[in-house]
Amino acid sequence: MPAAGAGRRMGADIPKQYLQIHGKAVIDWTLETLLSHEDIETVTVALSSQDEYWPDTQSAADHRIQTVAGGRERCHSVLNALEALSQENDENDWVLVHDAARPCVRPEDISRLVQQASAHGGGVLGVPVHDTMKRTDTQGRILETVERDRLWHAFTPQMFPLGKLHDSLQAALAAGIAVTDEASAMEWAGCQPLMVEGASSNIKITRPADLLLAEFYLSL
Ligand SMILES: Nc1ccn([C@@H]2O[C@H](COP(=O)(O)OP(=O)(O)OP(=O)(O)O)[C@@H](O)[C@H]2O)c(=O)n1
Ligand SMILES: C[C@](O)(CO)[C@H](O)COP(=O)(O)O
């Protein structure tokens, strides 16, 4: 679970994964959902070397959690976690990578991802695009309308065999590929992950307005 970000776009005094929602840190909401899922045994959390908040979380005392050092970008944090997992697990074991900043993920969507991705060699939770999509120039002037048929928002968890994901991510980064999610490394390696539709409420807390939305979703 990548949790080593600074949360710059949130503009808060602390990293967004430690902001409180209904009295509980974002990261604790996310970890509680993951660790209460029947298909998830342990979680490896990538933390910033400057992180001073983790020890005060509810999750820090959970023996099912190990922590590793995060990296410069999300992909480096994920690779560090995969390297730690590779020391203790079989390369054919399944791994799910999920953002600490996505606390609203639903257990039933994780179950659907596990069921469908395990039969397909890997998969990603997401939702189809429902709006007309535009690409603009740097001044915001519309250049084109992007064909939205079969266009998806990729979320997390993203689920792949541990060894294949580790090796593909390591090779993609070594080749200078811009890797913003695990599936893009697997695609670069020639795989065709499955998109698995989940709830649009599985938002990534990125900007202040997202926190209000997450508060609503987590009050349901
Ligand atoms: N070097 C990094 C950067 C991000 N993340 C994690 O990856 C997830 C998604 O990244 P993002 O939403 O971009 O988080 P931040 O990088 O913190 O946000 P910003 O870009 O606004 O600083 C978050 O859980 C974040 O903590 C990470 O583990 N290591
Ligand atoms: C991995 C991800 O959550 C997929 O939507 C997203 O790319 C991570 O956010 P970032 O801002 O790209 O780090």
Side-chain angles (χ1 to χ4, degrees):
M1 188 176 81
R8 292 181 183 86
R9 288 169 286 180
M10 178 57 72
D13 297 336
I14 65 174
K16 62 188 181 184
Q17 57 271 35
Y18 295 107
L19 293 173
Q20 299 282 306
I21 295 179
H22 306 310
K24 186 190 300 186
V26 167
I27 195 170
D28 283 326
W29 281 102
T30 310
L31 283 166
E32 184 178 303
T33 299
L34 295 183
L35 286 167
S36 59
H37 194 279
E38 61 182 353
D39 294 324
I40 296 175
E41 295 172 8
T42 64
V43 180
T44 298
V45 182
L47 297 172
S48 165
S49 54
Q50 279 83 45
D51 187 312
E52 57 190 57
Y53 309 97
W54 170 252
D56 297 328
T57 63
Q58 295 173 14
S59 304
D62 193 316
H63 70 280
R64 295 168 296 174
I65 297 171
Q66 71 171 340
T67 62
V68 297
R72 178 167 51 84
E73 298 174 34
R74 179 186 179 281
C75 52
H76 304 112
S77 296
V78 171
L79 186 56
N80 288 351
L82 293 174
E83 283 171 352
L85 283 165
S86 298
Q87 306 306 314
E88 307 141 12
N89 297 278
D90 185 89
E91 65 177 6
N92 296 313
D93 286 346
W94 291 100
V95 63
L96 290 87
V97 182
H98 185 60
D99 296 330
R102 290 185 186 270
C104 305
V105 63
R106 299 187 318 181
E108 56 266 41
D109 289 352
I110 296 174
S111 299
R112 186 177 318 108
L113 174 67
V114 169
Q115 181 191 18
Q116 295 188 26
S118 54
H120 186 83
V124 177
L125 266 189
V127 294
V129 165
H130 294 310
D131 303 300
T132 295
M133 307 299 284
K134 306 287 188 183
R135 184 178 307 283
T136 70
D137 64 15
T138 55
Q139 308 302 315
R141 291 180 290 247
I142 293 176
L143 297 175
E144 61 172 332
T145 296
V146 177
E147 172 56 56
R148 67 178 172 180
D149 180 40
R150 294 173 288 110
L151 195 60
W152 291 69
H153 296 277
F155 293 168
T156 69
Q158 304 200 2
M159 175 176 159
F160 297 102
L162 173 58
K164 178 72 174 167
L165 177 57
H166 172 275
D167 296 349
S168 300
L169 181 54
Q170 189 173 56
L173 292 175
I177 305 301
V179 176
T180 59
D181 73 345
E182 288 64 60
S184 51
M186 298 297 285
E187 295 156 42
W188 178 80
C191 301
Q192 267 198 317
L194 183 70
M195 281 303 309
V196 177
E197 185 164 359
S200 57
S201 54
N202 181 18
I203 62 170
K204 180 165 67 72
I205 296 178
T206 305
R207 300 180 191 281
D210 301 324
L211 201 62
L212 297 174
L213 201 47
E215 285 175 356
F216 167 70
Y217 287 138
L218 292 173
S219 68
L220 298 178

